[in-house]
Amino acid sequence: MADKLNKTQTEENVSSAERQPLMRLENINMVFKKSNGLLTDKHIHVLKNISLDIEQSEIIALVGESGCGKTTLGRIITGLLTPTSGDIYLEGQKVTGTFKKKIASYNQVQFIQQDSYAALNPVRTIYDSLYAPIKTHNKKWTRAQIDERIEELMTLIGLQPSSQFLTKYPHQLSGGQRQRILMARAISLDPKLIVADEPVSMIDVSLRLSLLNLMKKLNEQLGMSFVYISHDLSTTRYIARNGRVAVMYLGEIAELGNIGDVVRCPRHPYTRALIQAVPIPDPDFASYDELPLKSMNLGSLENRSDGCSFYDRCLYSTEHCLEGVDYADTPTSKVLCNNIDCVPSQPIYKEK
Amino acid sequence: MNENIIEFRNVSIDYPLKKYTIRAVTDVSLGIKRGKITALVGESGSGKTTLSSSIIKCISEPGKIAAGEIVFFDNADGEEKETVVSGLKEKQLKEFRWKRVSMVFQAAQSALNPVMTVEEQFVETLLAHGEVRDKQKQRERCKDLLSYVKLDADRVLSSYPHELSGGMKQRVMIAFSLLLNPDLIILDEPTTALDVITQNYIFNLLKQINRETDISMILMTHDISVVAKFADYVGVMYGGRLVEYGTVNDIFRKHRHPYTEGLIKATPSIIGDIDKLSPIEGAPPDLMNLPKGCIFSPRCPYAQDICRGDEPPTVYSDDGSKGRCYFYEERKNGR
C-alpha cells in the first residue's frame, strides 16, 4: 500500500502502461467567481491542485469538514462540474475539455446522493425511476429485458419481493429503502465508479450498517470502485476498511494514506486534531478535551496565498510555511506539510 | 432536597389525527437528576423530541399529554416547590419558560431571527421577562455571556445571524439559553450540521458550563458516541418507550436491554475491531401499527414466546437502573 502512494513520477510513467488507474485527477483547481456588484469579483478557490488516482475496484474515502471541497470534488469526478483547470483521465482517456463528446463515457461514473427523498422524483413510481436510465442508455432493449434487469437489481439490493416496492412512490418507502433504490439506480448501468456523497448521514443508526454492508457487497461482487464522501470518520473507517482515505482541508488533500494507518496514527497536524475530536462510543476513551489547534476558525477560501492553508491553526508552523508547502512521504501516508519531523508520530489512542 | 429537577410520571403523549391517533410517547417515568447531564438517545421517531418539548409545554400541534404528569421541582428561594407543568396557565408559562427551563434548538440557523442583531434579540428577551432595564447593565450581561462561550463579544453583538458561522451561531444560542439563569437547559441535537471539531468544542463548553454553574441539562441525540463523552445518565428510547435507563457506565458496560446492546454494536468507531460490529436487523417500529407484545421483539435476537404476548413492564433494578424487558433482571449478571 505504502509503495503505491510513494511512487514517483518516473515510476508512474513506466507502470502506467501495465496498470492504469481507473480515474486520474491531475492538478484539479476549482475557482468560483462571486460577483459583489462592483467591478472587482471575488475569487473563491474551492479546490487547489488536487491530484489523485482512483484505482480499479477500490473504495477511497474523501473526508473533511463542511466547506473543505469534498462534495465539489465528488461532483467533478462525476462530471457534474467542469474544473477551472486540470485534467481528468478515465481509463487513460482524457475526459476534460471534450466533455460533451465524452458524455457517453460518463455512464461509467454514477452518483448516490445524500438526500434520497430529494433524489427521487416524487410523482414517479420506483419502477419508473429505475426504468428511465436503463431505457435511455439501452434504447434497443425490450420492456421484458428491462424488467428482468430491474428484478436482478432489486434482488441485489435486498428489496424482496420486488413487486411490493416497484409500484410504490418514494414517500411510501422508508429512508433506508429509498437509499437502497438509489444504489440500485446507480448500479443499473454497470458503472465502473460510484461516487457516494454522505449516503448514510440521514439514515438511522441501526440501519446504517446494513447499507454500508450493501455498498461493500457491491464493491466486492461487482468490482465497482467507490468514492465515499463523508464527514464521519467512524463510518468511513468501517466502509473503507483496507482502502485509502484522503483527508481534505480547505480544498487540498492534507493527508492521503491507508485508512487504518491514518486513523490510528495521523501525521498531518490537522488530521491529528480531527481524529482527537471524533467522539468514541466508550466512556473510557472520551478523554480529549483540548485539541492541538491554535484557533477554532476555519481559514478563508478567498484570495489564497501559496502558503499552507493550515498555517493559522497549526501548532508546528514556521515562517517557511507561508511561502509554500509540499507533500512529504511518511512510512504510512503522504502528508501536505513542511515540518513533518516536528509533528508527533505516536498513535492517538493506545490499543486496548 | 429532591435530587430530581424534573420527574416524568407515567407520561403518554398522543397526536390525534383525522382517522387515528398516534401515541408518540408511551408511559414514560423518569427522573432528571439535578446538576447532572442526562442524555436521551433514540432514532428518529423514538419520541425523544416530543418528550422533551413536553417539559416546556411546547409539543407541536396537535400533540397533547394523554396521561401522566410532568413535575418540576423548584428550590430557587431556598424552599422546595412542586410545579406541575401541564397545569401551568399561559401567564405562568411565560415565567416558567426560559427563566426556569431554556432550550438550545437543533438548527441554530432557524432559531435566531434573521432580521435582528444578536444584541437586539438578547435585549428583547431580557425586557420580555422584565429583567435588567438598565441599558448599560443589559449590554454588560450580554457581553459577559458571549465571552463566557468564548466569542468575540463586541463583534458578535452587532452582527446579524447570517454574518456568523454555524459553530458561532450555536454558541450564541447557548449564551442565549443562559441569559435568564435557568435551572435546566434542554439541548435538542445541538451539534447536528456542525463538523466534528466544532462539535467537540461545543460539548466541552457545555460540560464546563454544567460543572461551573450546576445547571442541569437534558441532551437529546441519536449519536451514542457523543453520549459516552458528555452524559452522566442515559435514557434509551425506542418507539416512544423508555427501554433502558442508567448511568453512562451502566449503559455502556452493563446494558441489559437487547436494543441498547444492538445500538452499541451497530455504532462504528475509530478504534476497536470493525468485524465485531453488526447491524440491528429489521426496521424501527411503525407507530401506527405496533407489533404485539414487546415492540422490539420482531428485531430482538433473544425474543421468546412471552415477549410476543403482553408488553413487558418496566423492571426496576436496585442499582437505580431500569429497563423494559422480561429478562432485565436475568441479564443482570452478563449475557
Side-chain angles (χ1 to χ4, degrees):
Chain A
M1 198 84 243
D3 296 345
K4 209 193 267 175
L5 298 169
N6 294 348
K7 65 189 169 185
T8 61
Q9 203 62 43
T10 46
E11 275 169 344
E12 230 166 56
N13 292 337
V14 174
S15 65
S16 63
E18 316 136 23
R19 193 192 49 73
Q20 227 166 33
L22 177 62
M23 181 176 271
R24 165 165 295 172
L25 306 174
E26 267 182 17
N27 279 319
I28 301 288
N29 279 282
M30 188 77 210
V31 182
F32 289 118
K33 251 190 208 165
K34 185 177 164 191
S35 175
N36 55 4
L38 302 170
L39 289 174
T40 49
D41 284 345
K42 277 183 189 170
H43 290 269
I44 300 173
H45 214 137
V46 181
L47 292 177
K48 204 173 151 190
N49 299 332
I50 300 259
S51 294
L52 185 68
D53 285 358
I54 300 166
E55 306 292 340
Q56 304 278 0
S57 56
E58 81 163 338
I59 297 184
I60 183 166
L62 302 178
V63 297
E65 300 173 60
S66 41
C68 74
K70 55 189 192 300
T71 297
T72 307
L73 185 57
R75 291 172 72 87
I76 286 175
I77 293 172
T78 9
L80 292 170
L81 280 175
T82 309
T84 314
S85 70
D87 291 318
I88 302 172
Y89 299 87
L90 190 64
E91 297 187 299
Q93 296 276 318
K94 191 169 166 182
V95 287
T96 29
T98 53
F99 184 72
K100 288 224 168 81
K101 277 185 227 155
K102 296 278 178 182
I103 198 156
S105 68
Y106 263 99
N107 286 353
Q108 302 186 9
V109 186
Q110 293 293 330
F111 195 45
I112 296 176
Q113 296 86 344
Q114 172 177 18
D115 185 349
S116 61
Y117 194 68
L120 288 167
N121 189 332
V123 297
R124 294 245 172 115
T125 61
I126 299 303
Y127 178 82
D128 292 338
S129 287
L130 290 175
Y131 180 89
I134 302 177
K135 184 68 190 171
T136 311
H137 291 276
N138 302 287
K139 291 223 164 59
K140 286 184 187 142
W141 282 25
T142 61
R143 184 165 274 257
Q145 272 175 308
I146 296 176
D147 284 354
E148 197 185 319
R149 176 73 181 141
I150 290 178
E151 187 57 42
E152 195 186 320
L153 291 171
M154 293 298 278
T155 317
L156 208 56
I157 57 163
L159 290 183
Q160 288 292 331
S162 59
S163 55
Q164 262 194 27
F165 298 97
L166 290 174
T167 50
K168 287 195 170 154
Y169 288 90
H171 73 269
Q172 291 170 303
L173 299 184
S174 73
Q177 290 167 343
R178 277 198 301 265
Q179 205 66 44
R180 279 171 195 262
I181 297 292
L182 287 190
M183 282 186 199
R185 188 168 68 172
I187 61 176
S188 63
L189 298 173
D190 276 321
K192 295 208 167 88
L193 175 66
I194 291 180
V195 178
D197 189 1
E198 304 261 19
V200 296
S201 68
M202 295 175 74
I203 305 291
D204 274 327
V205 191
S206 71
L207 301 174
R208 270 185 196 177
L209 229 48
S210 47
L211 274 168
L212 294 174
N213 286 343
L214 173 63
M215 279 176 65
K216 222 160 52 202
K217 187 179 108 184
L218 297 177
N219 166 256
E220 282 159 11
Q221 275 187 6
L222 309 174
M224 290 169 186
S225 302
F226 274 83
V227 176
Y228 181 83
I229 301 175
S230 178
H231 67 281
D232 179 354
L233 274 152
S234 309
T235 57
T236 306
R237 173 170 171 261
Y238 183 78
I239 179 119
R241 292 252 173 145
N242 305 312
R244 290 184 300 158
V245 62
V247 180
M248 294 187 62
Y249 184 76
L250 289 182
E252 290 174 298
I253 295 179
E255 184 161 0
L256 176 69
N258 173 284
I259 183 141
D261 294 331
V262 170
V263 166
R264 188 173 53 250
C265 182
R267 294 306 312 278
H268 193 281
Y270 169 69
T271 325
R272 289 193 76 81
L274 188 68
I275 301 279
Q276 290 185 20
V278 176
I280 292 180
D282 185 335
D284 290 352
F285 278 96
S287 55
Y288 282 101
D289 287 343
E290 283 297 313
L291 298 179
L293 285 176
K294 259 190 201 160
S295 115
M296 280 299 302
N297 302 327
L298 208 61
S300 165
L301 289 167
E302 285 168 31
N303 308 323
R304 303 177 63 166
S305 70
D306 293 333
C308 177
S309 334
F310 193 58
Y311 176 80
D312 295 335
R313 302 172 78 186
C314 184
L315 296 181
Y316 313 98
S317 56
T318 53
E319 271 176 34
H320 174 51
C321 303
L322 277 177
E323 288 152 26
V325 60
D326 272 322
Y327 281 100
D329 286 323
T330 74
T332 51
S333 59
K334 203 170 118 183
V335 184
L336 186 64
C337 183
N338 287 337
N339 300 330
I340 189 73
D341 296 332
C342 310
V343 182
S345 60
Q346 70 270 33
I348 299 287
Y349 293 101
K350 285 197 188 101
E351 292 299 319
K352 221 177 176 182
Chain B
M1 190 170 95
N2 196 318
E3 61 169 342
N4 292 335
I5 183 159
I6 289 268
E7 265 176 33
F8 296 96
R9 294 180 181 157
N10 303 93
V11 175
S12 293
I13 299 172
D14 282 353
Y15 285 93
L17 302 176
K18 268 184 200 147
K19 285 183 193 153
Y20 32 71
T21 295
I22 292 177
R23 178 149 286 193
V25 172
T26 306
D27 191 25
V28 168
S29 294
L30 175 68
I32 304 293
K33 298 266 189 298
R34 189 181 293 277
K36 300 285 185 203
I37 300 169
T38 305
L40 293 176
V41 201
E43 302 176 72
S44 45
S46 64
K48 55 187 192 301
T49 302
T50 304
L51 184 68
S52 52
S53 51
S54 71
I55 298 173
I56 47 174
K57 220 180 165 182
C58 252
I59 308 168
S60 48
E61 288 290 318
K64 61 172 199 309
I65 298 178
E69 56 183 16
I70 299 149
V71 184
F72 179 79
F73 296 95
D74 184 2
N75 63 332
D77 315 314
E79 62 184 284
E80 189 156 311
K81 222 166 63 186
E82 269 190 40
T83 315
V84 178
V85 176
S86 39
L88 290 176
K89 301 261 161 24
E90 206 46 43
K91 203 179 158 200
Q92 295 165 305
L93 263 178
K94 271 186 190 157
E95 268 300 280
F96 181 73
R97 288 181 187 149
W98 225 258
K99 228 171 171 177
R100 295 275 167 257
V101 181
S102 65
M103 189 154 177
V104 175
F105 296 93
Q106 188 167 126
Q109 188 80 45
S110 38
L112 290 165
N113 188 335
V115 294
M116 284 170 88
T117 62
V118 171
E119 183 173 11
E120 283 164 4
Q121 298 185 48
F122 274 53
V123 168
E124 187 190 38
T125 308
L126 283 172
L127 290 177
H129 286 270
E131 305 255 325
V132 205
R133 299 217 168 259
D134 181 57
K135 275 226 167 104
Q136 195 59 37
K137 277 195 185 136
Q138 279 173 356
R139 209 182 155 83
E140 258 166 45
R141 172 96 185 117
C142 302
K143 269 190 176 176
D144 284 351
L145 282 172
L146 288 173
S147 350
Y148 189 53
V149 296
K150 295 175 188 137
L151 285 168
D152 175 0
D154 288 313
R155 198 206 125 186
V156 171
L157 270 182
S158 57
S159 300
Y160 287 93
H162 73 268
E163 295 173 292
L164 306 172
S165 74
M168 288 164 89
K169 267 183 290 219
Q170 201 52 275
R171 277 183 277 164
V172 168
M173 275 312 294
I174 291 168
F176 208 176
S177 71
L178 294 169
L179 193 62
L180 303 175
N181 278 322
D183 302 309
L184 173 73
I185 301 180
I186 303 168
L187 308 160
D188 186 4
E189 303 257 14
T191 60
T192 22
L194 299 182
D195 56 80
V196 281
I197 290 184
T198 319
Q199 167 175 300
N200 179 284
Y201 186 78
I202 298 268
F203 277 119
N204 285 331
L205 185 68
L206 285 167
K207 194 143 194 167
Q208 186 197 342
I209 292 170
N210 169 262
R211 298 287 177 258
E212 284 176 6
T213 63
D214 263 351
I215 294 176
S216 320
M217 292 182 183
I218 300 180
L219 167 74
M220 272 120 31
T221 180
H222 66 275
D223 185 353
I224 200 153
S225 319
V226 162
V227 172
K229 187 182 167 66
F230 184 63
D232 301 308
Y233 294 89
V234 185
V236 181
M237 298 203 55
Y238 184 76
R241 280 118 176 115
L242 183 72
V243 295
E244 188 163 9
Y245 170 82
T247 65
V248 69
N249 270 313
D250 286 340
I251 294 295
F252 281 93
R253 296 265 168 273
K254 296 184 287 185
H255 47 260
R256 300 185 230 162
H257 197 285
Y259 176 65
T260 316
E261 182 185 313
L263 201 59
I264 291 173
K265 265 197 194 161
T267 307
S269 165
I270 53 162
I271 56 165
D273 194 348
I274 301 177
D275 296 318
K276 283 189 187 147
L277 297 171
S278 60
I280 307 179
E281 298 301 332
D286 177 0
L287 290 175
M288 280 184 272
N289 188 13
L290 285 173
K292 202 167 176 292
C294 170
I295 55 162
F296 187 61
S297 60
R299 305 174 79 185
C300 180
Y302 311 103
Q304 298 184 14
D305 287 344
I306 182 177
C307 306
R308 299 179 193 102
D310 288 321
E311 195 170 353
T314 302
V315 181
Y316 292 84
S317 191
D318 35 1
D319 60 358
S321 57
K322 59 183 173 186
R324 245 176 205 268
C325 177
Y326 279 115
F327 303 101
Y328 193 70
E329 218 32 57
E330 217 168 282
R331 288 160 65 90
K332 188 172 186 177
N333 304 311
R335 290 154 292 272

